[in-house]
Amino acid sequence: VINNRDKELFDKMLDVIKSANLSNDKDYELNVKAEYYEQISDWNNLYKVTKEHIAFKHDDPRLLNDAAERFFKYARDKNKEDLKLALSWAKQSVGYESECYNNFTLGKLYNALNDKDMALATFEKCIEIGELRLKGNTSDSANIYIYIKEAERMIDDIKLK
């Protein structure tokens, strides 16, 4: 449905979700809406649904990070207020669970907002956490390795400017 960008099927899917009486139906509905709006490049609805989802489920570090990433990706060329909102979500995500993935997002947002010192410190934290995770037994080694390499690249880029 989402990949086909079929509005009629999308609406039917939402009806099924609502009528299924799932324990997490609101969360699932908001996830589906966000994915759909992202696929069809509908920034206005994506923006609204993302904010609604955060208001509904504000203590989920992955959701907060995903929302911050979306705003970084789509709002970057728009205005600083969207980036500041994304920064606040990334900070909350790290506050709930300081991991490699969300420190990387936080570093990108600091960098986009021209806070180079905080960006450097946050990318260094990303690398530190990533290296610790790689020493342990993790099934996410490939992603962690990518975050480490990207954080190192971002640090080099910042230092060159």
Side-chain angles (χ1 to χ4, degrees):
V1 170
I2 292 170
N3 288 335
N4 290 338
R5 302 174 182 203
D6 185 323
K7 176 73 169 123
E8 187 177 325
L9 282 175
F10 171 69
D11 289 338
K12 286 180 183 177
M13 184 175 175
L14 291 178
D15 289 342
V16 169
I17 292 168
K18 290 174 187 173
S19 66
N21 293 319
L22 303 170
S23 62
N24 60 346
D25 59 346
K26 181 74 171 171
D27 185 36
Y28 190 61
E29 174 191 344
L30 292 168
N31 271 322
V32 168
K33 284 181 175 179
E35 291 293 326
Y36 178 75
Y37 294 135
E38 187 170 10
Q39 280 292 321
I40 64 169
S41 301
D42 183 345
W43 167 249
N44 291 329
N45 278 318
L46 179 60
Y47 182 86
K48 290 175 197 170
V49 166
T50 299
K51 289 175 72 174
E52 181 183 352
H53 205 170
I54 295 298
F56 170 73
K57 193 174 178 184
H58 61 276
D59 60 352
D60 181 329
R62 292 242 177 225
L63 174 64
L64 288 160
N65 186 73
D66 290 350
E69 277 286 342
R70 269 195 190 110
F71 271 51
F72 175 77
K73 182 177 180 181
Y74 295 107
R76 196 164 45 182
D77 297 328
K78 296 186 185 308
N79 67 52
K80 296 288 183 193
E81 293 309 308
D82 289 340
L83 290 174
K84 288 178 183 175
L85 181 58
L87 179 72
S88 74
W89 291 337
K91 285 179 180 178
Q92 289 175 51
S93 176
V94 168
Y96 286 117
E97 170 185 82
S98 185
E99 289 294 339
C100 192
Y101 74 94
N102 54 6
N103 274 282
F104 184 74
T105 300
L106 184 57
K108 289 192 305 185
L109 285 159
Y110 278 129
N111 191 44
L113 290 165
N114 292 315
D115 190 340
K116 304 304 179 189
D117 291 337
M118 286 302 294
L120 286 169
T122 308
F123 285 130
E124 288 168 3
K125 184 72 174 174
C126 169
I127 293 167
E128 176 188 327
I129 293 169
E131 288 173 346
L132 285 172
R133 296 293 178 258
L134 288 176
K135 288 179 183 176
N137 187 11
T138 180
S139 62
D140 204 24
S141 295
N143 286 332
I144 291 170
Y145 182 77
I146 291 168
Y147 284 121
I148 290 171
K149 290 301 171 192
E150 285 297 308
E152 290 171 345
R153 185 185 61 74
M154 293 297 291
I155 289 170
D156 290 344
D157 287 351
I158 292 169
K159 287 181 177 179
L160 287 175
K161 291 181 182 178

